[in-house]
Amino acid sequence: MTGYKVANGNGTAKTNGNSNGHSNGHCNGHKSADYTAQENPTMCSRDCCSGPGGSNRGNTCTDKKGAKAGSLNGEKIIPTPQSLLYPYEVIEEIADFITKGSGMRPKIGIICGSGLGSLADIIQDPKIFEYEKIPNFPVSTVEGHAGRLVVGTLEGATVMAMQGRFHFYEGYPLAKCSMPVRVMKLCGVEYLFATNAAGGINPRFAVGDIMLMHDHVNMLGFAGNSPLQGPNDPRFGPRFPALVNSYNKDLINKAIEIGKAMGIESNIHVGVYSCLGGPNYETIAELKALRMMGVDAVGMSTVHEVITARHCDMKVFAFSLITNKCATEYSDKKDEEANHEEVMAVAKNRQKACCELVSRLIREIHLASA
Ligand SMILES: O=P(O)(O)O[C@H]1O[C@H](CO)[C@@H](O)[C@H]1O
Ligand SMILES: Nc1nc2[nH]cnc2c(=O)[nH]1
């Protein structure tokens, strides 16, 4: 089996001979460092393993016996390229579990943002999969993210919705955060609907408004992090995917029309979203900088999901519910500080409008393809 190259600490690269992704002897997980390997990786039950079956949120192993391989003791650090965390075969296994368990091949995937879980509650004839019962699936740790996958129909279309997403700040590597998008792809999903709660930086935005995303600024990408980092598996997509026109223009235009029909056109905007790592909210200086960069709304999600979806050629529609206004001037006012309770309360208040927008858009997609 071919191994991937690892830095050995003196600036040269060498092949990780045991192809484990971990060289501490206890972990056989990710034994396929080669993405073309046909075997399923053996799962590691230790906490130090950040791949399938493991729960470590970082990339280094703290196991005492294996301290040399994974610790910062001056010996060597074995990187875990993100794309190796979930090889194709593992994604396929999860997708099979869902399609066989639900008897469906959904066409539309929905990711529910913070407090927007009700988008999944309107699905008819739902088959519900708790994340903890899905093989190799992470768990949701954030309030407002229930941790269930719901498969069923909505406005005649077959859909699967994530009631709970995974965030970088939870300690999951980006590839793990967006792994469910690849599961959706192998389940048959063609359209990704990604929703989020976000802070409004554009001064024209009010709390409760909806911003249809037409572009993003990937701050984590600026810092050199990507869900696609590591060997590329062409069964998902190309090594260097283009991201211009990532957000489907037809769907944005349809959503604008739907907003008009719903009588909420003054609450609908089109804009640019940026994802920061979180979990802290932004400083005033950061918000000023983001505004100067042309960012309209800021959150801690979605961008890596969209990158993963575009990499495997899914059509993307995404929106931010503006749950708080971000101050871009210094002030002592406490009520200008963002907090998650407010985020969820606003999302709850606006869930009816968000559900209607999503349902009507799905109906149009379904009718157009019927
Ligand atoms: O992006 P979603 O998951 O909607 O949630 C947003 O709201 C939470 C902070 O209040 C963060 O998780 C941020 O990303
Ligand atoms: N980063 C960030 N995420 C959010 N999610 C909801 N509101 C906000 C915000 O103001 N900033």
Side-chain angles (χ1 to χ4, degrees):
M1 177 150 340
T2 46
Y4 55 88
K5 302 281 182 187
V6 296
N8 63 8
N10 62 10
T12 57
K14 72 174 194 131
T15 301
N16 176 20
N18 67 3
S19 301
N20 275 348
H22 287 204
S23 64
N24 55 19
H26 73 72
C27 177
N28 297 320
H30 333 126
K31 108 181 156 171
S32 162
D34 177 350
Y35 61 74
T36 58
Q38 291 304 305
E39 25 182 346
N40 288 326
T42 313
M43 298 311 152
C44 173
S45 59
R46 296 290 193 94
D47 265 5
C48 66
C49 177
S50 62
S55 62
N56 184 20
R57 319 309 185 209
N59 286 335
T60 53
C61 172
T62 51
D63 181 272
K64 289 250 171 15
K65 279 187 286 175
K68 271 192 176 174
S71 69
L72 292 166
N73 66 357
E75 293 284 330
K76 64 182 162 203
I77 301 293
I78 308 289
T80 307
Q82 300 216 10
S83 61
L84 297 182
L85 292 174
Y86 281 89
Y88 191 93
E89 291 72 20
V90 173
I91 302 279
E92 201 169 39
E93 210 178 288
I94 303 172
D96 281 354
F97 178 84
I98 291 158
T99 50
K100 287 191 183 122
S102 65
M104 275 190 197
R105 283 189 66 75
K107 186 168 175 180
I108 297 172
I110 303 169
I111 303 178
C112 305
S114 282
L116 292 171
S118 54
L119 291 169
D121 291 335
I122 55 175
I123 292 174
Q124 285 136 23
D125 305 318
K127 296 269 175 354
I128 292 168
F129 301 86
E130 305 287 339
Y131 287 172
E132 54 207 35
K133 303 224 172 98
I134 303 175
N136 301 318
F137 227 67
V139 291
S140 275
T141 69
V142 185
E143 213 180 313
H145 292 264
R148 309 178 331 156
L149 198 61
V150 183
V151 185
T153 58
L154 188 54
E155 298 292 336
T158 48
V159 299
M160 65 191 283
M162 288 179 69
Q163 225 171 17
R165 61 150 54 89
F166 308 114
H167 303 85
F168 189 60
Y169 64 77
E170 292 175 76
Y172 296 124
L174 289 181
K176 198 163 189 165
C177 295
S178 58
M179 169 276 291
V181 173
R182 287 187 166 175
V183 171
M184 287 178 177
K185 175 74 183 182
L186 296 197
C187 283
V189 166
E190 294 169 28
Y191 293 86
L192 176 69
F193 277 45
T195 69
N196 61 61
I201 308 182
N202 186 320
R204 292 189 302 109
F205 292 3
V207 169
D209 285 357
I210 291 171
M211 184 193 81
L212 309 175
M213 286 169 63
H214 83 104
D215 208 346
H216 68 233
V217 175
N218 179 9
M219 294 305 286
L220 296 176
F222 278 23
N225 200 348
S226 165
L228 307 179
Q229 229 169 51
N232 182 57
D233 188 333
R235 286 174 289 183
F236 287 119
R239 170 75 289 186
F240 300 109
L243 289 184
V244 287
N245 300 320
S246 282
Y247 299 86
N248 189 282
K249 286 198 181 75
D250 289 343
L251 295 177
I252 292 175
N253 287 332
K254 281 194 170 87
I256 292 171
E257 290 309 312
I258 290 168
K260 283 184 192 154
M262 287 168 61
I264 58 165
E265 63 266 43
S266 60
N267 303 110
I268 303 257
H269 311 276
V270 177
V272 175
Y273 173 89
S274 184
C275 166
L276 271 62
N280 54 284
Y281 296 104
E282 296 69 37
T283 65
I284 299 282
E286 286 163 352
L287 291 164
K288 279 178 191 274
L290 289 167
R291 187 69 196 130
M292 277 192 281
M293 289 165 75
V295 172
D296 297 295
V298 62
M300 309 170 196
S301 69
T302 308
V303 167
H304 36 279
E305 298 158 353
V306 170
I307 292 171
T308 304
R310 291 302 298 148
H311 180 244
C312 63
D313 202 26
M314 285 161 79
K315 292 190 179 78
V316 170
F317 172 73
F319 71 78
S320 299
L321 174 67
I322 305 302
T323 52
N324 53 291
K325 268 177 91 74
C326 294
T328 48
E329 296 303 331
Y330 294 97
S331 149
D332 289 334
K333 286 191 211 142
K334 253 309 204 203
D335 63 0
E336 290 194 351
E337 287 181 4
N339 69 80
H340 193 55
E341 289 68 39
E342 181 194 2
V343 166
M344 286 193 303
V346 172
K348 198 166 169 225
N349 267 337
R350 296 295 285 161
Q351 59 193 12
K352 195 160 167 276
C354 293
C355 285
E356 188 169 345
L357 176 67
V358 166
S359 304
R360 287 193 184 211
L361 191 53
I362 288 179
R363 182 177 158 78
E364 294 214 7
I365 292 173
H366 181 61
L367 290 178
S369 66

